[in-house]
Structure formats: structure tokens, C-alpha cells
Amino acid sequence: MKKKRISTRNLVLVYSVMILIVAVIFVSVALYFSRTIRAARHAGDTYSAVSSSDVNFSKYYVMISSDRELDFWKSVYKGAYEEGIKKGVCVEMMGENLSEDYSNTELMEIAIASRVDGIIVHADESMEMRNLINEAVYEGIPVVTVYGDSANSLRCCYVGVGSYNLGREYGKQIVKIAREYELSNTTASTHMNDTLKVVALVNSYSDNSNQSLVWSGIQNVVSTENTEIQIELSQAYVDNRNTFTTEESIRDIFRSQETPDVVVCLNETDTNCVYQSLVDYNKVGKSAILGYYDSESILKGISRSVIYSTISVDTYQMGVYCVDAIKEYEEYGYTSQYMLADVTLIDKSNVSDYLSENEEVTE
Amino acid sequence: MREKSTKPANSLQLKLSIIFIMASILIFIVNAMLIFGINTMTREMDAVYRDNLKLNELAEALADVQNNMTDYLNTKTSDSLERYYKSEQDYYKLVYELNNSVTGDTYDLMEKNIRNMSNEYIQTTGYAIEAKRGRNVERYSAEFDKASRLYNYINTYINSLNNERFKSNSSNFSELLSAFRFFETISIVMMVAALLGSSVFVIGFTSSIIDPIRKLAKSADEVAKGNFEIETLEIRTNDEIGVVTKAFNKMVASIREYIEQIKENMEHERKMQEKELRIESTLKEAQLKYLQTQINPHFLFNTLNAGAQLAMMEEAEKTYDYIQNTAEFFRYNVREGNTTVKLADEISLIDHYIYILNVRFSGDIKYEKDIDESLTDILMPSMILQPIVENSINHGIKEMEGRGKITLRVYSEDDNVFISVKDNGIGMTQETIDKVLSGELTEEEKAAPVGAHGIGMDNVIKRLRLFTDREDSVSIVSEGEGKGTEVIIKLTNGGSENV
């Protein structure tokens, strides 16, 4: 009889509890939704790892390079971006989100029209680029050139690798190869050619002083070092006017000419193309590749003995230097004209360090 | 008036109101939450594409500016100039709403770029228009080229931003959609839960109200059928039903009490009637027995009267007295009807009887009276004392050859009147006394000592007990064999007068 006894107070209590439960469920659901929506909103942020939305930015710099998809430039951008966050500057890789693929000069125009606070540009020695840099500076926008310079412009700083030193490094590698070649010649019963053909790939349509500096660096070393084998240095011109010509030009070299003993590549794309061509034409071991940059595929090429050695540029450091240079210029009105990033040689002996490093990074 | 002052604390109205209000509140809350949720969802969905709409508007306004400028540069009509200024104003307004601060958000940065480029663009178109007016062909075509380039850049930016926003919004949208689905499921679950919950509680609560009513109805039905032996209903609540239940319980108890009382009264009445009937029937029995033993009392009485007159004429005094006494004695017995007589009448009957016996047995029986004359008016059944005396003579002193003695005493003690008939005869054992008083004497035992009238002691005792309504109205005392017997009749003084 007692079980059915429900007093008014109990009933009100139970009802209140029910209402409370309903309210709590709804509030939690609402919280869940608002969180999901907020999370979706933040999907637009570039680097979610470094929560950029928490930083108060005061300046807006852009980085301009038409090769932004390469690991090389990604790494440079990363350096600049992270340095920017430290300094309260938002650095954007220009053209990344655009539907159209603009050239460096067009991007420069956009940047100037957008009145950004600073421009980091992969420049060249063309007239057009020089004028644009000058225009930007007239508009009060400091310009830093990176990796490629426009020496006669009003840019405040050039950040890059010491091209002459780079050339010397290549030269040393060439000499080393020559010595190894000699050794194999003496031990081998058949006497082979006594000249070592070295081809350096140079871009035909960029008036880049770096290339010549590298070239002279190579020449300098090769001429000073005495080798029994004669080293024949030559340049091959690679058409880089538009997107796909590089690859075609390189394949042409391998098809038409006699296969060189050493191929010197001065950028990441060239290295990759030569590497692939060598594999495709079954000439692995016949040519030694002196590569550029330490991307994953290049490092793999070294470990597989397709690429002889490569030059690793501290690209991250380059990015950092760029931001530092503009910041310094803004503060003091001047900055050092040149900033050089560290360069390291990677060959079979130390490639494993870089490979594991890169793997760690990708992990 | 009283009900008003003791209004139940939890009235039925309050309870019912609580049920309905609570249920309504629950449903209201669920609904409110649903509406709120749906509103939020709709707003979010709206926001997803608002940005895209804005950007499309911007692109259209930009195209207007470009077209109008081109038109003016082509035709130089004031109409197109007017349109140019208007579209430029519109575009400027739209551009003004764009973000102008540096944030970490790529889209914000793109907006900022669009804004800055647009300002540059508007300026450039302004220069171009100005140059056209000034007919500076070289300049206006240069400015036009620049403006066109900027126009393309801005367009690309707007399109890209639109695209990117659409991409991220689409993912937003699909997430929103799944959230919406989830919300839908939750809502349905909640609604069903609320429905079930409130149903359970409404049913539970109403049944807690209805149950006592149902029990009350059942009990009332039982009572209507005449069954008052029902359990008292439990009063659980303090509301109107509780009050009614309490009243019902009280009513049933009262009815039961009244019925009990009526039954008792009826029983009493029935007993009284029965008693009277029994008294009458025993008397009738006594009279019948008497008549059976007499041939014709009236004839005898008349005969005796004639004898007495004859004795008078012959001047035989003693004979006359004897016949007269005998006649009196018989007359008493043939009286019509009176079951109740005065004690004095009974005593005079004894006197006659003793006289007759003494004549018969030539003065063998000594007869003593010790009577309180104030008590002789008391009423008692007739034909009581004579059988007792007869019994005493027959059983007690018949054989004593002139030494027998009967003592009749009437006295009162407290409210009682005692009539004592004592003999000095053979006496009785206690066993016999008990047998006589309980009426267990066998026919044989009774028959042997029965006198001329044949009315046995058991008849006398029965009648006396009926008359007085008490068991101790007759008692027999004997101290043992040969020591005599005393029969004591106990009457209530005045108490029997109304019988």
C-alpha cells in the first residue's frame, strides 16, 4: 500500500530534477555545438600548430617566390613565419591561396598595391624586378631579396648563400670525384678517358649573378687543384621560362650530348630532374650528380648512390634572417646588405643523419 | 462554516494545478530549447554563406566600376561618368567594410589586401578618368592599363578568397549538418523522454488522487448493498478526498452502532414477550394438571356450599367450618385467569389447606405463622405456596404422627421479601436439594410424593424463576436427615408489582 504513496513535495522534486536534467543536457549539447563550430571556424588558420590567432600582430610581411611549392621555399617560409610570430609580424607566402598562378613580378605588383609592411622576394637581376623593388621602396615598403638578388635595386638586404663559397664547395667535390676517378683508372685494367667532363646546369633566362659567382667558384677550385685527369668544365643552359621547360631541357641534355661524368645542379628542381632522368635513361653510376638542397627525395638519392653529394642550405635560418633584416631596417633605417645562411655538404657518409632527422620531422 | 476554516492544506485543485503546470513547464522548456537550438543552427548555416554573398556583391560592384570606367573612356558620355561615380561609391562602401587589421587569419589578410588594392584601384581609375577629361591620351591609357591589371588582381583575390571561404565553409557546413543531425536525434530523444516522463508522472499522480476515490466508491457500493462490515478506509491525504473519506468512515461506524442498538432493543423485547408467554403457559400447564385431577371443581364447590348450608341448618358448627374451608380452598383454585395474586391470598389458601388437613388428620399438623403484615400486599404468582406446603407435609411430616410442624414466615431484608416454609420433617440431602433446584428429578421421584393437586416442585420453581427473573428466587435449606427442610422464596419488594 505504501509504495504508491507519492506526496506532492516528492512529485515537485522529481519534476524539478527532470527539468534540470533536460536543461543540463541541452546546455551540454549547445556547448558541444559551439565548440564544433568554433573549431570549424579556425580551420582557416595557416599554422594551427602555432596558434597564430593568439598573437597580436602589428605588421604584415609577404614572401614572394614562384617556387613556393618546393621544400626549399617551404622551409624558408617556415623560418620567416615562426620568426615573425616571435616578433609580432604576420608573414604570408604570397599567392598561396590564389586561384591564379602569378609570376614574381605580378606578385610584387599585388604586394605593392596591397600596401604590405614588408616584402621578402626571390628576386633576379631583371630590369622589371629592379623597377618593382624600387617602386616598393618609394612607396615606403622595405624589400629584402632572398636567395636570388637584384643587386642594383634599392633593396635593403640580400639574404642567401655565399654563391662563391658554394661554387668552391662544388669545385672541391669535382676534384674529389676526379681523384676517385684517377684511382679507379689506375687499378682498372682498361684505360679510360683521361678527361672528366663536368657540366654545370645554369638557368638561361634568369640574369642571376649568383650563377656566375658559383661558376667562378668552381673554376677557381678546379684550376688551383692539380689533378692528373683533366677536368673539362662546361655549362648547360636550362630553359626555365615556364613551368615545364626545365625538365624538358634537362632530358635534352641527356639525350643529345655525350653523358657528362659530373652534373652540377644549382637548384632543387634541377637536382630532382637530373636524378629522375638518370634513373630513366639507366645511367646511374655513369654520372655523378652534385645536387642542391636536402629535400627528402634528394637525400634518398644520396643514400641510393644516385646522387653523389648535395649542398644543404639552412633554409630555416634564411627565413629568420629575412624577417630580422626588415625588422632591423624598420627600427634603425639600415641593415647589413648581405646575410648569408649556413651551408653544409651532405654525401653518403653523413646522409643517414639528415634522413633520420627528416623522418623525425615528418613524423 | 467549519469546512471553510479547516480547508485542506493540499487541496485537490492545488495538486491538479501542480501536475498540469509542471507538465506544461517541462514541455515548454523542451520546446524553448528546441526553438533556441534551431535558431542557432539556422543562424550558423546563414553565416556559412554570408561571407560568400558579401564577396560576390563585392565582385559585382568591382565589375561595375571597371565597366563604367571603360565605358567612359570609350565614349566619354556624362551618363557613363555618372554611373562610374555611383558604382565607385558603392564599391567604396563595400570595401570599407573589409578587414583592415593584421591578424593571423589568412582570410583576414586577403581581405586586407583586397581593401588596400581596391583603394589603389579606385585612385587609379580616378586618375584615368581625370586624364581622359584632360585628353591626356598617353596618361589615361597607362592608368587604364594599371587599373585593369589591378582589377584582375583584385578579382583573382576575391575569387580566391571566395573559393577558400567556400571550401572551409563547406567543411563547416558538413560539420554543421552532422551537428544538426545529432541535435535532431537528441531533440527527438529528449522529446520522447519528456513525453514519457510527464506521462508517467501524470498517471502516477492522478492515480494517487483517483485511488482513494475508487476505494471510497467501492466501499460506498458495499454499504449500499447492506454490508457494513467493511474495513476502515485509510486516510492518506489531507485534501478534499481525505475529508470525504474521514466522513465516510465516521458515517459507517455510526450506522453500525445504530444497527447494533436496534438489534439489542429488539432482542430485549423478544425476550420479554417470550417470558410472558412462558409464564402463561406454565400456569396453564399447572391449571390443566389441576383440572385433570379434579372432576368438576365448580360442581364440587357448589356441592360443598350446599353441604355447608346443610351443616348450618343442622347446627353442626364444626362440619360447617370444615366444609366452608374446603369450599374456600377449591374456590381459590377455580378462580378465572389471575396468574398473579397477592401474598395474602396465598397465605389464606394455606390457612384453609392446613385446616382441612388438620381435620382430615385430626390435628396432627402444627401450623405457625410469623408474618410481617406490611408485606402481604406484594404480588406473586398464584398456586405457589400451597404446593410447597403440600410438599412439606407429604414428604416431611406425614409420617410423624402428630409431631409435625409447619412454620410460615414472611419477612423482609434489604429490598427483598422472603417467604419461608419450614417443616421439622425428615429433611433432604444436599444432593436431592440440588436435583430439585435444577429440575433433574426423574418422573418416578416426582410422582411418588405428589400430592392431591399434583403440581410438582419443578413447576413451582420454574414459575417463580420466570416471574422474578432471577435464579435464586427459590432456595431450599436442610441441615440433614431428620432435621427438617426450609423452602425460602425470595421476591423483590415492589419490583414485581408491575408484572
Side-chain angles (χ1 to χ4, degrees):
Chain A
M1 284 303 260
K2 273 199 171 175
K3 70 177 168 108
K4 276 211 130 190
R5 189 166 189 147
I6 303 168
S7 79
T8 316
R9 207 187 308 142
N10 285 351
L11 200 89
V12 171
L13 205 75
V14 169
Y15 254 123
S16 312
V17 167
M18 263 180 78
I19 288 169
L20 207 70
I21 288 170
V22 168
V24 164
I25 287 174
F26 268 106
V27 166
S28 50
V29 167
L31 275 180
Y32 166 79
F33 283 145
S34 64
R35 225 202 254 156
T36 336
I37 287 158
R38 212 176 304 146
R41 279 274 161 78
H42 280 280
D45 291 356
T46 320
Y47 278 93
S48 49
V50 188
S51 66
S52 50
S53 54
D54 294 344
V55 184
N56 244 343
F57 293 110
S58 57
K59 295 284 180 182
Y60 171 44
Y61 298 169
V62 293
M63 182 176 272
I64 295 170
S65 167
S66 47
D67 294 330
R68 57 184 164 272
E69 294 307 320
L70 295 180
D71 285 348
F72 182 90
W73 283 105
K74 278 182 183 164
S75 175
V76 174
Y77 174 62
K78 195 176 177 225
Y81 180 79
E82 284 176 20
E83 180 69 9
I85 283 178
K86 282 185 212 152
K87 298 251 158 94
V89 176
C90 181
V91 183
E92 194 198 10
M93 180 62 103
M94 219 173 192
E96 207 170 33
N97 291 313
L98 296 185
S99 52
E100 227 159 286
D101 206 4
Y102 287 121
S103 69
N104 282 358
T105 47
E106 283 168 323
L107 287 172
M108 274 298 282
E109 273 190 340
I110 293 172
I112 294 162
S114 298
R115 299 204 180 95
V116 297
D117 298 313
I119 298 173
I120 300 162
V121 62
H122 176 209
D124 52 49
E125 292 293 355
S126 69
M127 194 66 179
E128 204 183 357
M129 180 56 82
R130 192 190 306 156
N131 287 341
L132 282 166
I133 291 172
N134 290 345
E135 190 190 335
V137 175
Y138 288 141
E139 296 278 345
I141 305 168
V143 179
V144 168
T145 53
V146 60
Y147 191 58
D149 197 10
S150 175
N152 294 326
S153 67
L154 293 171
R155 55 125 177 95
C156 61
C157 178
Y158 165 65
V159 178
V161 287
S163 298
Y164 187 75
N165 285 340
L166 193 66
R168 284 181 63 85
E169 199 62 58
Y170 279 125
K172 279 178 200 162
Q173 292 295 310
I174 292 164
V175 170
K176 199 178 158 199
I177 292 167
R179 296 254 158 85
E180 280 171 18
Y181 207 72
E182 279 168 24
L183 212 64
S184 66
N185 270 359
T186 49
T187 51
S189 52
T190 50
H191 198 265
M192 292 177 86
N193 289 340
D194 49 0
T195 52
L196 184 74
K197 276 200 208 161
V198 176
V199 174
L201 302 179
V202 279
N203 291 339
S204 57
Y205 288 93
S206 60
D207 215 0
N208 200 328
S209 58
N210 288 331
Q211 287 185 10
S212 43
L213 277 173
V214 172
W215 184 242
S216 54
I218 293 172
Q219 278 178 323
N220 181 277
V221 172
V222 169
S223 61
T224 49
E225 294 281 334
N226 289 320
T227 51
E228 284 179 22
I229 289 180
Q230 199 182 341
I231 298 172
E232 190 186 305
L233 287 174
S234 62
Q235 288 186 331
Y237 291 95
V238 174
D239 184 357
N240 68 336
R241 269 176 304 182
N242 59 50
T243 322
F244 307 113
T245 48
T246 307
E247 203 263 334
E248 293 298 331
S249 316
I250 288 170
R251 294 212 165 215
D252 282 344
I253 293 167
F254 279 94
R255 261 205 301 266
S256 60
Q257 295 179 359
E258 205 182 328
T259 315
D261 297 311
V262 177
V263 183
V264 180
C265 309
L266 296 185
N267 61 45
E268 193 189 340
T269 319
D270 289 358
T271 312
N272 278 328
C273 286
V274 171
Y275 172 30
Q276 194 56 48
S277 305
L278 224 57
V279 172
D280 287 352
Y281 292 113
N282 203 17
K283 284 180 177 171
V284 178
K286 285 180 185 156
S287 292
I289 303 171
L290 296 182
Y292 189 82
Y293 194 55
D294 55 353
S295 73
E296 182 104 20
S297 61
I298 294 172
L299 288 176
K300 268 182 191 161
I302 293 173
S303 68
R304 287 173 192 158
S305 302
V306 182
I307 296 169
Y308 185 78
S309 69
T310 191
I311 301 292
S312 162
V313 181
D314 195 340
T315 43
Y316 188 89
Q317 196 186 36
M318 275 168 77
V320 172
Y321 283 169
C322 293
V323 174
D324 286 351
I326 302 179
K327 213 56 194 157
E328 215 173 275
Y329 184 80
E330 273 175 2
E331 274 173 41
Y332 306 112
Y334 57 87
T335 181
S336 56
Q337 287 270 312
Y338 292 96
M339 283 190 179
L340 299 183
D342 295 341
V343 169
T344 325
L345 181 83
I346 303 173
D347 58 14
K348 207 154 167 82
S349 61
N350 62 353
V351 69
S352 54
D353 301 341
Y354 289 87
L355 263 177
S356 57
E357 224 174 71
N358 273 16
E359 265 163 31
E360 268 168 32
V361 169
T362 45
E363 266 171 24
Chain B
M1 290 300 277
R2 225 181 127 229
E3 267 190 15
K4 216 173 193 180
S5 60
T6 58
K7 197 178 177 188
N10 291 323
S11 77
L12 221 49
Q13 190 190 5
L14 180 69
K15 281 187 184 178
L16 290 173
S17 307
I18 285 172
I19 295 176
F20 294 127
I21 290 170
M22 282 303 215
S24 306
I25 287 176
L26 189 66
I27 287 164
F28 172 77
I29 285 180
V30 169
N31 272 333
M33 295 287 187
L34 283 184
I35 288 170
F36 176 74
I38 287 168
N39 267 353
T40 316
M41 291 281 156
T42 322
R43 232 176 297 132
E44 288 297 335
M45 294 239 181
D46 214 32
V48 164
Y49 294 108
R50 204 185 300 138
D51 295 334
N52 292 103
L53 282 176
K54 217 168 73 183
L55 284 172
N56 284 342
E57 248 176 74
L58 194 66
E60 273 168 36
L62 178 65
D64 273 353
V65 175
Q66 179 72 10
N67 289 340
N68 289 328
M69 177 190 71
T70 315
D71 199 25
Y72 178 74
L73 294 184
N74 272 340
T75 60
K76 215 183 170 186
T77 57
S78 55
D79 199 27
S80 58
L81 186 66
E82 207 174 291
R83 269 187 280 125
Y84 163 75
Y85 281 127
K86 196 180 171 300
S87 58
E88 188 216 306
Q89 273 302 312
D90 291 344
Y91 184 60
Y92 190 76
K93 258 185 238 158
L94 287 173
V95 164
Y96 195 72
E97 286 169 19
L98 294 174
N99 169 56
N100 194 26
S101 59
V102 183
T103 68
D105 190 52
T106 318
Y107 304 150
D108 285 349
L109 289 177
M110 284 175 93
E111 269 189 26
K112 178 178 151 68
N113 288 351
I114 292 171
R115 186 186 166 118
N116 286 337
M117 277 194 278
S118 297
N119 286 336
E120 179 86 17
Y121 170 72
I122 290 169
Q123 207 178 6
T124 312
T125 54
Y127 289 152
I129 299 280
E130 213 172 90
K132 174 78 179 178
R133 276 173 156 173
R135 297 192 158 212
N136 189 341
V137 178
E138 209 176 310
R139 196 178 151 211
Y140 86 65
S141 61
E143 293 290 353
F144 175 73
D145 280 348
K146 193 185 170 191
S148 297
R149 271 206 313 281
L150 280 171
Y151 170 73
N152 283 330
Y153 295 152
I154 294 170
N155 245 338
T156 308
Y157 255 82
I158 290 175
N159 285 341
S160 305
L161 184 56
N162 217 343
N163 240 337
E164 293 297 319
R165 277 233 196 267
F166 186 74
K167 257 191 254 167
S168 87
N169 284 347
S170 296
S171 68
N172 271 7
F173 184 73
S174 63
E175 257 178 73
L176 263 180
L177 214 62
S178 66
F180 199 83
R181 296 263 156 73
F182 181 62
F183 181 78
E184 206 176 279
T185 321
I186 288 278
S187 304
I188 289 171
V189 168
M190 288 310 299
M191 263 160 34
V192 170
L195 182 71
L196 287 182
S198 54
S199 305
V200 164
F201 283 99
V202 166
I203 289 170
F205 201 37
T206 45
S207 74
S208 84
I209 290 175
I210 297 296
D211 254 14
I213 296 181
R214 203 174 288 144
K215 279 196 187 126
L216 190 61
K218 206 177 152 198
S219 297
D221 202 33
E222 286 288 309
V223 170
K225 280 179 190 161
N227 175 19
F228 291 94
E229 300 305 313
I230 47 168
E231 264 181 48
T232 317
L233 292 172
E234 189 192 352
I235 298 163
R236 286 199 227 149
T237 49
N238 200 17
D239 55 15
E240 283 88 344
I241 295 165
V243 172
V244 171
T245 312
K246 214 186 278 177
F248 180 78
N249 281 342
K250 236 185 239 173
M251 186 188 80
V252 170
S254 302
I255 290 175
R256 221 182 289 163
E257 209 173 286
Y258 289 141
I259 287 175
E260 211 60 47
Q261 230 169 340
I262 289 169
K263 262 189 194 166
E264 229 167 75
N265 286 347
M266 277 168 71
E267 181 71 18
H268 190 244
E269 212 160 290
R270 194 181 56 77
K271 265 188 192 161
M272 295 293 284
Q273 273 175 354
E274 200 181 342
K275 193 170 115 186
E276 218 149 288
L277 277 173
R278 265 158 66 192
I279 288 171
E280 215 164 309
S281 76
T282 37
L283 181 65
K284 284 269 151 60
E285 189 191 352
Q287 281 173 342
L288 184 64
K289 278 195 178 156
Y290 171 75
L291 287 173
Q292 275 173 348
T293 56
Q294 308 300 318
I295 307 157
N296 192 336
H298 282 278
F299 171 72
L300 187 63
F301 177 63
N302 291 337
T303 311
L304 286 175
N305 260 351
Q309 278 169 10
L310 192 60
M312 188 84 102
M313 277 188 288
E314 286 178 354
E315 293 185 0
E317 281 292 320
K318 280 190 178 175
T319 309
Y320 169 76
D321 274 348
Y322 174 71
I323 294 172
Q324 190 64 35
N325 266 313
T326 312
E328 287 295 326
F329 178 77
F330 284 112
R331 196 174 56 185
Y332 183 80
N333 278 334
V334 296
R335 274 169 312 131
E336 281 300 320
N338 279 346
T339 53
T340 314
V341 293
K342 284 185 181 168
L343 176 56
D345 296 336
E346 282 285 283
I347 292 171
S348 69
L349 184 66
I350 301 298
D351 292 347
H352 294 308
Y353 180 63
I354 298 283
Y355 179 83
I356 293 165
L357 285 189
N358 274 337
V359 172
R360 266 175 70 190
F361 302 115
S362 50
D364 276 355
I365 300 160
K366 280 186 188 148
Y367 171 50
E368 279 177 17
K369 287 201 285 187
D370 175 11
I371 290 163
D372 184 347
E373 290 299 330
S374 66
L375 302 171
T376 53
D377 276 347
I378 195 169
L379 292 170
M380 63 179 292
S382 66
M383 300 292 284
I384 292 291
L385 288 184
Q386 190 270 331
I388 293 171
V389 172
E390 188 179 350
N391 207 39
S392 290
I393 291 164
N394 283 348
H395 292 271
I397 59 178
K398 205 175 182 181
E399 319 294 333
M400 289 187 67
E401 310 280 331
R403 284 178 291 113
K405 184 183 170 188
I406 298 285
T407 312
L408 177 66
R409 283 172 63 211
V410 174
Y411 58 94
S412 69
E413 221 170 75
D414 298 333
D415 263 355
N416 296 320
V417 176
F418 293 91
I419 304 162
S420 164
V421 178
K422 192 177 178 183
D423 65 63
N424 57 347
I426 55 170
M428 293 170 83
T429 59
Q430 193 57 42
E431 197 186 341
T432 322
I433 292 170
D434 290 343
K435 274 187 178 175
V436 169
L437 285 178
S438 61
E440 285 171 3
L441 282 175
T442 58
E443 284 301 307
E444 218 169 306
E445 281 170 312
K446 271 193 263 178
V450 160
H453 292 80
I455 298 170
M457 275 301 283
D458 58 332
N459 180 279
V460 172
I461 292 166
K462 241 190 260 173
R463 275 160 59 209
L464 267 173
R465 280 182 184 161
L466 275 172
F467 180 82
T468 56
D469 221 355
R470 42 207 280 195
E471 283 296 303
D472 62 346
S473 54
V474 179
S475 54
I476 298 170
V477 180
S478 175
E479 285 167 10
E481 295 273 332
K483 288 190 179 170
T485 309
E486 185 179 15
V487 176
I488 301 162
I489 295 165
K490 190 160 123 193
L491 297 171
T492 313
N493 191 6
S496 304
E497 273 171 4
N498 52 355
V499 176

